[in-house]
Each structure stands twice: as C-alpha cells, then as structure tokens.
C-alpha cells in the first residue's frame, strides 16, 4: 500500500463514521431557522379617533354591533388592509406598546386590544403622505381611551410595536342567531385562545353537520330550515383547534337570541 493511501484511509474512515452518526440523530437535535412568528414583536404605526357620539362605539367591519354590550368595550382596534386579512383576523388579541418617540410615549406601559374593525385606505393620499391605512402600511386605529394609555394624545401618528397574544375571556363562546325563514346568520363573539375563527359548522337535531360561510367579519350564514330544532356548533380557530358545543340553542330558539357554548382553553 502506498504511503499516500495509508494517510487517506483514516480520514475516509472518520468521514464515514461522522456521516453515519448524524444520520441517526433524532430530528429534534437538528437546528433550523424558523420564520417570524405572529407572536413576535412587529413594527407599525397607530393613530386614534375620539368618539363624538356614543353611536360611534356601535358597528365596525367585524359585525360585533355594540362593542360594550358585546364585551369588548373601548379596548379595541381597527386594522389596515395588510393586517385585516379580509375579516378573518376579527376577534384576535394584540398587545401594543409605544416606541421610539419618548416625547409622547408613556414609559413602561402597554395595552391589550381586540381586532373589531377595518381601517379603510384613502387613495386620495399616498401611503406616506396622509394615507395612513393605505397598503402596504401596517396601521392601527385606536379609540382615544386606549391610545392615551400608552401615549399622549398630541402624538398623533405614533410608531408602535404589536404582537399577537392569546385572548382571555370570561364564559363560553357566544352565538347570536339572526336571519329569517330558511336563512340563518350567526354572530360569534367572546372567543378565547387565538380569538379568530376560520370555519364554523351548525347542526340541527334533524340534520348532519352543515358548513357555514363567512358573511362578513365574524358573521356566518347557512341556507337551511333549522327552526324547532336544538342547535349545535363546531368552531375552528386559526391555530387548528376545534370546540364543539352540543345543543347550545334549545328547540324553541328565536331569531335575535344569544346562547353560550363551550370555550377554547
């Protein structure tokens, strides 16, 4: 055997042993680079609105109606188009903090808000020239009551950081039933966990599970005659978890009533 081959053989043997050992490592021992999580801090800007009329607290693109009665109060936020996700984000919870401009920020403060509205773009202005909610801007609009918990109102258009958090709610998921005849619309509120919903099914005592379509925000609908039947609901959130609430509404339910089911843990 040549001297060169004698030198190479130990190196080849070490390479073979190392590759064999790595191939038998458990997958959890391999380090990978992950993408930005929705629960990481991200940058945006925020402004506020001052409700000049109590009716300003009613409505919104998520369809929650009277925000106080629905349990959201003034701890709410309207989101620009890149954040609103065509209404799927409705019900999600965020924590916000004021950053960078220490003239106006209230140090050491943060607020928790729920997505209840859409901040529509204004194409009469450019995205960096007054069109705060124009794409691609990530912008949040807060009631002044919420804004003043993290910044002085004179701040105007403030740099902030936000991140998703789990929602904490008292009681179960609420189902408000509306519609007429064979058309049923259900508003879903008070959702814990990630807060936003991706699919809903409804079941009467004389039907199987019927998938509902998103009408707008967190209003879901189905064309079916479910009168005089107890109603059950299957709700799936954006993290893939499902909660099933059987016989939430009794046989004698009526349009306009609200019923409470189970809750995400």
């Amino acid at each position: 055997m040549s001297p060169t081959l004698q030198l190479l053989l130990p190196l080849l043997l070490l390479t073979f042993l190392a590759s064999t050992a790595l191939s038998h490592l458990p997958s959890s021992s391999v380090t990978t680079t992950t993408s930005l999580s929705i629960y990481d801090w991200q940058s945006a800007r925020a402004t506020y609105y001052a409700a000049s009329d109590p009716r300003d607290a009613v409505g919104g693109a998520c369809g929650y109606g009277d925000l106080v009665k629905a349990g959201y109060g003034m701890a709410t936020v309207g989101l620009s188009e890149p954040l609103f996700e065509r209404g799927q984000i409705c019900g999600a919870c965020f924590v916000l903090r004021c950053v960078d401009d220490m003239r106006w920020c209230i140090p050491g403060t943060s607020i928790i808000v729920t997505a209840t509205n859409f901040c529509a773009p204004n194409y009469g202005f450019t995205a960096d020239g007054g069109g705060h909610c124009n794409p691609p801007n990530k912008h949040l609009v807060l009631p002044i009551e919420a804004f003043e918990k993290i910044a002085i109102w004179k701040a105007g258009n403030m740099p902030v950081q936000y991140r998703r958090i789990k929602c904490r709610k008292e009681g179960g998921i609420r189902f408000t039933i509306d519609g007429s005849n064979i058309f049923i619309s259900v508003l879903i509120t008070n959702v814990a966990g990630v807060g936003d919903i991706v699919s809903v099914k409804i079941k009467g005592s004389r039907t199987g599970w019927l998938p509902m379509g998103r009408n707008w925000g967190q209003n879901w609908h189905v064309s079916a005659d479910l009168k005089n039947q107890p109603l059950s609901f299957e709700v799936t959130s954006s993290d893939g978890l499902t909660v099933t609430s059987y016989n939430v509404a009794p046989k004698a339910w009526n349009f306009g009533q609200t019923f409470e089911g189970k809750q995400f843990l």
Side-chain angles (χ1 to χ4, degrees), residues 33-263:
T33 302
T34 58
S35 59
L36 185 66
S37 165
I38 62 171
Y39 298 108
D40 290 332
W41 288 104
Q42 301 186 51
S43 297
R45 298 191 75 86
T47 49
Y48 66 85
Y49 69 91
S52 58
D53 189 304
R55 290 174 296 181
D56 292 342
V58 177
C62 292
Y64 291 132
D66 189 316
L67 295 175
V68 175
K69 288 184 178 179
Y72 299 106
M74 291 292 102
T76 60
V77 63
L79 303 174
S80 62
E81 192 171 311
L83 298 173
F84 191 64
E85 299 177 9
R86 297 188 177 185
Q88 181 182 307
I89 201 70
C90 290
C93 296
F94 299 85
V95 59
L96 274 67
R97 63 188 182 189
C98 180
V99 294
D100 297 340
D101 197 338
M102 293 301 108
R103 293 177 302 165
W104 309 118
C105 293
I106 300 174
T109 61
S110 63
I111 53 170
I112 295 174
V113 292
T114 303
T116 61
N117 208 348
F118 173 54
C119 180
N122 183 349
Y123 293 113
F125 298 92
T126 61
D128 56 357
H132 300 319
C133 291
N134 292 4
N137 292 347
K138 292 183 177 181
H139 196 87
L140 304 97
V141 181
L142 303 164
I144 191 169
E145 294 88 344
F147 187 90
E148 288 188 316
K149 292 184 183 299
I150 59 171
I152 299 170
W153 67 271
K154 290 182 179 179
N157 186 15
M158 276 294 299
V160 296
Q161 288 182 332
Y162 72 94
R163 65 182 177 93
R164 286 279 296 273
I165 61 171
K166 293 292 184 72
C167 301
R168 294 182 178 180
K169 302 295 180 182
E170 293 184 4
I173 299 172
R174 296 177 191 142
F175 304 89
T176 301
I177 304 173
D178 208 341
S180 61
N181 297 326
I182 63 169
F183 178 83
I184 292 180
S185 175
V186 178
L187 170 63
I188 301 178
T189 59
N190 202 55
V191 180
V194 292
D196 56 336
I197 298 167
V198 296
S199 70
V200 180
K201 293 180 181 179
I202 188 172
K203 181 184 182 300
S205 58
R206 299 193 298 271
T207 73
W209 286 104
L210 306 173
M212 304 188 77
R214 188 192 301 274
N215 194 10
W216 56 291
Q218 290 301 354
N219 282 275
W220 298 76
H221 69 274
V222 67
S223 295
D225 183 4
L226 297 175
K227 289 291 289 182
N228 300 313
Q229 301 179 57
L231 301 180
S232 303
F233 294 94
E234 182 182 280
V235 177
T236 301
S237 55
S238 62
D239 58 356
L241 298 179
T242 297
V243 166
T244 304
S245 301
Y246 291 99
N247 300 322
V248 172
K251 180 179 179 180
W253 64 266
N254 285 305
F255 293 118
Q257 291 183 307
T258 298
F259 303 95
E260 191 169 300
K262 292 183 178 180
Q263 184 60 275

Side-chain angles (χ1 to χ4, degrees), residues 22-34:
L22 286 172
S23 68
H24 287 84
L25 284 175
S27 58
S28 60
S29 66
V30 180
T31 301
T32 59
T33 302
T34 58

